Amino acid sequence: MAACALRRGLLSTASKYNQHKCTHRILSAIDFSSGLDPKRAQPLCSVCRLSSFQQTRFMSSRNRPEGKVLEPVGVFEALKQHGKYETGQLFLHSVFGYRGIVLFPWHARLYDRDVSPAAATDSKPDSTGHGSKEVKGKMHTYYQVLIDTRDCPHISQRSQTEAVTFLANHDDSRALYAIPGLDYVSHEDILPYNSTEQVPIQHELFERFLMFNPSRNPPFTARDTLRAWQEKNHPWLELSDVHRETTENIRVTVIPFYMGMREAQNSHVYWWRYCIRLENLGNEVVQLRERHWRIFSLSGTLETVRGRGVVGKEPVLSREQPAFQYSSHVSLQAPSGHMWGTFCFERTDGSHFDVRIPPFSLESNKYDKAPPTGYPL
């Protein structure tokens, strides 16, 4: 499914659906070029206010650029307010709109600089000079998921579909490889649904990692290959810290991952990837113009990086398409360091403002001698 105005349409509808525990099934036949306008719904139910158009099944665009042809996908399930989703749970991404399936959960410490310290449990001092506020962290659930490859062309301008990268096993210390269609999704971004299809997600790893088991709920269980792959690649897949900060209605979320160490020219080079999500929480249309990074290494060096946009793009964040997500990499000749900085955004009137990137640590771990194993062929 293409990215659309799920925040205004599907998400609000699904929230009402689950808050009132209505038994209606939801249909969302969406023209993804324009999004879903909830104001056009004609409510029938006095509780959830779902129209007859929305009460049966939700639909997905087939793999066509114009997104005009719709096909049945499944039936929404109640959101989990407590607990976690299980392996095999089908879902719709509430922001980017793609179909996916949960492989397994991760538990991370979320350091939200927008939350008062009393609301969290674990503290992390700010040692970057990016402000003196002590940041508290609390445990939060994320999921390793597969993205339906039919939806990748629709979301490629808003979210990278090859964002999970690894260091290659050979001698080239800068060689990376990616697993297409693998993502990390926060618990609140999951819109769960069920389907009668035995292969509801198209991805080359779906049938290698999961099997259909109609006696289970959800009816897809992990194969031994998934459990083995998770165990072998655990150090390179696991996320431990998530950092979040909002400036002038632009929320920046950063998730760093340690990738490993390689030797180059008689020195050690430590690698990290970091995933960044930019989200416009307001109504004003803005465009990312510049990035400004400060990278501190334990070796004592401080590097400044400036440039246009990110990953070759200058994304526009609007109410219809409020989010953009990308990944990048950084290497240090030291086992730890810090990163922080700002993004410069432009308003429609030509004025500019800086959005803070929350400071985050670059930490190595004890798994340096075990290179990642990739995925089964």
Side-chain angles (χ1 to χ4, degrees):
M1 301 177 73
C4 61
L6 287 170
R7 185 173 308 281
R8 294 187 294 154
L10 274 178
L11 186 55
S12 61
T13 300
S15 297
K16 293 177 183 178
Y17 161 78
N18 288 291
Q19 287 171 2
H20 298 291
K21 295 182 173 60
C22 289
T23 57
H24 295 310
R25 294 187 295 175
I26 298 176
L27 173 117
S28 184
I30 303 170
D31 175 355
F32 293 104
S33 63
S34 59
L36 176 65
D37 187 350
K39 296 179 181 179
R40 297 180 182 177
Q42 299 178 356
L44 291 182
C45 174
S46 60
V47 178
C48 68
R49 299 184 67 78
L50 295 181
S51 70
S52 58
F53 181 69
Q54 294 172 302
Q55 286 180 2
T56 51
R57 313 181 78 183
F58 67 90
M59 316 287 281
S60 170
S61 61
R62 290 176 185 162
N63 192 13
R64 290 180 58 179
E66 66 273 15
K68 299 297 185 181
V69 179
L70 300 176
E71 59 183 3
V73 171
V75 180
F76 273 129
E77 298 178 348
L79 299 176
K80 281 187 179 290
Q81 304 297 336
H82 306 285
K84 66 180 186 300
Y85 296 105
E86 302 297 329
T87 295
Q89 176 65 61
L90 295 167
F91 71 92
L92 200 66
H93 196 293
S94 68
V95 175
F96 296 111
Y98 64 72
R99 290 164 287 181
I101 191 165
V102 170
L103 295 181
F104 42 81
W106 294 113
H107 298 291
R109 292 182 300 272
L110 173 61
Y111 296 96
D112 194 337
R113 299 175 70 85
D114 304 322
V115 176
S116 62
T121 58
D122 188 19
S123 64
K124 174 164 285 194
D126 183 354
S127 59
T128 66
H130 187 68
S132 59
K133 180 170 63 175
E134 183 179 13
V135 183
K136 298 287 185 176
K138 64 178 181 179
M139 298 308 295
H140 193 73
T141 303
Y142 277 74
Y143 300 94
Q144 197 87 67
V145 307
L146 293 181
I147 303 173
D148 195 309
T149 55
R150 293 169 293 183
D151 299 338
C152 289
H154 301 298
I155 66 172
S156 60
Q157 295 301 311
R158 311 303 300 177
S159 178
Q160 289 176 314
T161 56
E162 296 185 355
V164 180
T165 53
F166 297 86
L167 287 178
N169 292 335
H170 49 73
D171 293 335
D172 185 350
S173 63
R174 298 181 60 87
L176 304 173
Y177 69 89
I179 299 181
L182 195 65
D183 199 5
Y184 294 86
V185 180
S186 179
H187 183 86
E188 66 268 20
D189 287 337
I190 297 285
L191 294 178
Y193 73 90
N194 60 62
S195 171
T196 58
E197 297 183 50
Q198 293 190 20
V199 186
I201 300 296
Q202 290 189 14
H203 191 287
E204 63 177 324
L205 297 180
F206 180 86
E207 293 186 89
R208 299 173 189 174
F209 281 170
L210 300 160
M211 68 177 72
F212 182 68
N213 185 347
S215 64
R216 298 287 300 274
N217 185 24
F220 304 99
T221 57
R223 294 183 183 270
D224 291 340
T225 50
L226 175 58
R227 287 187 283 266
W229 182 77
Q230 179 188 10
E231 181 179 356
K232 290 179 181 178
N233 291 282
H234 183 279
W236 324 107
L237 291 170
E238 182 181 18
L239 71 166
S240 57
D241 293 350
V242 179
H243 305 265
R244 180 182 294 167
E245 184 170 3
T246 304
T247 309
E248 297 197 35
N249 285 324
I250 305 299
R251 184 166 65 190
V252 180
T253 303
V254 184
I255 308 177
F257 299 87
Y258 179 59
M259 298 177 66
M261 180 270 293
R262 293 291 184 268
E263 294 186 6
Q265 298 178 349
N266 298 321
S267 66
H268 292 165
V269 179
Y270 299 83
W271 281 85
W272 291 264
R273 74 177 182 271
Y274 54 91
C275 179
I276 291 186
R277 177 160 140 185
L278 306 170
E279 192 167 3
N280 187 351
L281 305 181
N283 296 321
E284 189 176 24
V285 177
V286 297
Q287 183 171 12
L288 174 62
R289 290 303 191 186
E290 296 180 350
R291 69 189 186 278
H292 177 201
W293 282 106
R294 309 267 290 175
I295 306 169
F296 175 76
S297 170
L298 187 63
S299 62
T301 61
L302 178 61
E303 182 181 2
T304 298
V305 178
R306 289 183 179 271
R308 296 285 297 181
V310 291
V311 293
K313 299 179 180 180
E314 297 181 20
V316 175
L317 304 183
S318 63
R319 189 181 177 190
E320 290 71 29
Q321 296 194 337
F324 179 81
Q325 183 171 289
Y326 75 97
S327 290
S328 191
H329 306 86
V330 63
S331 62
L332 301 176
Q333 292 186 334
S336 64
H338 289 87
M339 289 181 65
W340 68 99
T342 56
F343 292 119
C344 179
F345 279 83
E346 182 179 359
R347 301 183 180 93
T348 53
D349 63 4
S351 62
H352 295 78
F353 65 100
D354 286 336
V355 171
R356 292 185 295 274
I357 303 171
F360 57 96
S361 298
L362 301 172
E363 302 290 347
S364 59
N365 59 33
K366 61 184 179 182
Y367 299 104
D368 289 333
K369 294 183 180 180
T373 58
Y375 59 92
L377 298 175

